[in-house]
Amino acid sequence: MLPLATDYVDFFDRFTEALNMVGNVSGMDASRLMEQIQETRTDLLLIRLDQVASETISFHQAKTTIDAIYDIVRDAAYFTIDPERFREHRRGAPPASVADFLREDIRLGHTKRGSFIFTLVARLGETNTGDSRLEADMPLAREVLTSLARNVERISTRGDNPQRDVELNELDLRTRLVKPLRKITDSAGVRSVDLSFEWASGESRPDVGLRPIVLTRDILSEGPRNPMMAIEESSAVRIGEHRAITGYVQSLRHNGTDGDGVAEISAEVDGLPTTVTAYLSAEAHEVAIRAYSNRTPLTVEGDLVYERKSWVFHAVSRVTGQGSTLWSQ
């Protein structure tokens, strides 16, 4: 008996009557009834700002937050749809399918009660077909939010992970997510940004995003955990520590005419995604070039230094690529 002819002049009145009748029978108001219907085929991402002053925020802070949320969702979609292009063209424009996802599949919903909770509604739609990258029978919106939840959880733990080698292909995404998340917490008075996922009942629930994820300013800050090592941007710390890191080469450049080079590597240091600069000899640079061309992990071992708010290898003793590719000094 639900009226479906939207072109009738009294459609809105009849639809409102039907909605009220169903609401009276189910004991729900119209807004809750709408949420109940949508929950079967929509995932929700709730982004909450935990801040000192909860009554108001400035327009500047609101714009910064919305822009950061947009970047977070866009990068998660980009990585999910085309991880190789995401890794290869980190500063390039995303493919058209990412724009389609942002325009059609993800929406900004009604604000929840609480300290500035932004509600993102991901409409699941149909399941994926014909794409070898996407998981079988999983809607694109579900896979994007699942990937986002998994990587944000990894950022929040900052600890050792026995599955780190399996997750190396996601280091580029975690590195990209830190920057917009940090922009949100850099606003005055913000203590943390909290992310909660509510998974649609119409799909099997994933094994991530099952509890709120709290990201404080300290977790999202770059550099070592020890606050005594914090420095002014213009100064430098030259504390060499022999360490090894593994990640993906994101850029390469020659450093002189003798074949030496510099590699920028997406990796984790102390559990935090970051970019590590490695100054390499000609032989080590060749190994890095092969790892970049094959999109395989590269392990660099040597004297790791934290300077000017970034990690740098100045004395590289060993570089290992996939398989038998190896350079050692």
Side-chain angles (χ1 to χ4, degrees):
M1 298 176 61
L2 187 67
L4 300 177
T6 58
D7 55 331
Y8 282 15
V9 67
D10 63 341
F11 167 78
F12 182 79
D13 293 335
R14 303 290 79 77
F15 187 84
T16 301
E17 290 174 356
L19 196 63
N20 288 334
M21 186 180 301
V22 175
N24 290 334
V25 172
S26 61
M28 303 180 188
D29 60 24
S31 61
R32 178 58 191 140
L33 179 61
M34 181 183 68
E35 290 180 359
Q36 186 81 1
I37 295 171
Q38 290 180 335
E39 282 175 1
T40 60
R41 296 300 300 169
T42 57
D43 289 335
L44 298 182
L45 168 57
L46 309 179
I47 301 177
R48 174 179 177 267
L49 305 187
D50 180 14
Q51 56 185 32
V52 176
S54 59
E55 292 80 10
T56 62
I57 61 175
S58 66
F59 278 116
H60 180 269
Q61 183 182 355
K63 181 181 183 302
T64 298
T65 303
I66 289 294
D67 289 345
I69 292 173
Y70 181 88
D71 290 344
I72 290 166
V73 177
R74 179 200 58 200
D75 287 340
Y78 192 171
F79 176 83
T80 301
I81 292 171
D82 196 341
E84 292 188 2
R85 182 173 173 180
F86 177 86
R87 196 172 295 124
E88 185 176 355
H89 302 286
R90 290 175 58 84
R91 294 177 177 83
S97 52
V98 174
D100 292 339
F101 172 81
L102 294 170
R103 183 170 50 250
E104 302 294 339
D105 298 334
I106 191 84
R107 313 281 290 183
L108 191 63
H110 291 290
T111 302
K112 298 286 185 178
R113 290 184 178 180
S115 177
F116 288 102
I117 298 178
F118 295 84
T119 305
L120 273 67
V121 180
R123 302 187 293 194
L124 300 190
E126 301 299 326
T127 55
N128 297 311
T129 57
D131 194 328
S132 58
R133 166 61 185 89
L134 302 174
E135 297 184 17
D137 299 327
M138 178 180 287
L140 173 60
R142 166 59 61 86
E143 187 167 7
V144 171
L145 288 197
T146 300
S147 180
L148 178 59
R150 181 183 302 114
N151 283 274
V152 172
E153 282 186 351
R154 186 70 184 92
I155 293 172
S156 68
T157 58
R158 297 183 59 183
D160 292 332
N161 187 343
Q163 301 297 324
R164 178 171 296 179
D165 291 339
V166 179
E167 295 180 347
L168 279 174
N169 66 321
E170 295 185 335
L171 280 178
D172 278 310
L173 177 58
R174 289 202 291 274
T175 302
R176 285 276 283 269
L177 292 177
V178 168
K179 183 176 180 179
L181 287 167
R182 190 186 302 121
K183 284 183 178 179
I184 297 175
T185 58
D186 280 347
S187 296
V190 176
R191 291 182 289 249
S192 69
V193 54
D194 308 342
L195 292 87
S196 301
F197 295 83
E198 295 183 5
W199 304 111
S201 58
E203 294 282 334
S204 58
R205 192 165 67 166
D207 59 356
V208 294
L210 303 181
R211 57 185 59 87
I213 304 167
V214 179
L215 298 171
T216 63
R217 187 176 301 181
D218 178 62
I219 290 176
L220 295 171
S221 62
E222 289 184 334
R225 298 184 190 182
N226 185 353
M228 296 303 294
M229 293 181 65
I231 55 173
E232 294 295 333
E233 189 170 1
S234 60
S235 62
V237 172
R238 300 304 300 264
I239 303 176
E241 181 181 355
H242 193 81
R243 302 176 70 169
I245 62 100
T246 300
Y248 283 93
V249 180
Q250 67 182 49
S251 67
L252 291 161
R253 68 178 185 271
H254 286 286
N255 187 30
T257 58
D258 53 0
D260 293 354
V262 181
E264 302 284 344
I265 304 167
S266 293
E268 287 188 354
V269 178
D270 293 338
L272 181 68
T274 188
T275 300
V276 179
T277 302
Y279 290 87
L280 306 174
S281 67
E283 296 86 352
H285 193 225
E286 287 296 324
V287 179
I289 292 173
R290 285 192 287 272
Y292 179 79
S293 300
N294 298 328
R295 300 187 183 90
T296 54
L298 183 75
T299 299
V300 180
E301 183 177 343
D303 192 18
L304 185 62
V305 176
Y306 184 70
E307 62 177 22
R308 300 185 185 279
K309 293 190 175 182
S310 62
W311 290 102
V312 181
F313 274 112
H314 281 284
V316 175
S317 60
R318 184 182 182 91
V319 176
T320 308
Q322 190 178 50
S324 59
T325 305
L326 172 68
W327 176 85
S328 182
Q329 177 175 306

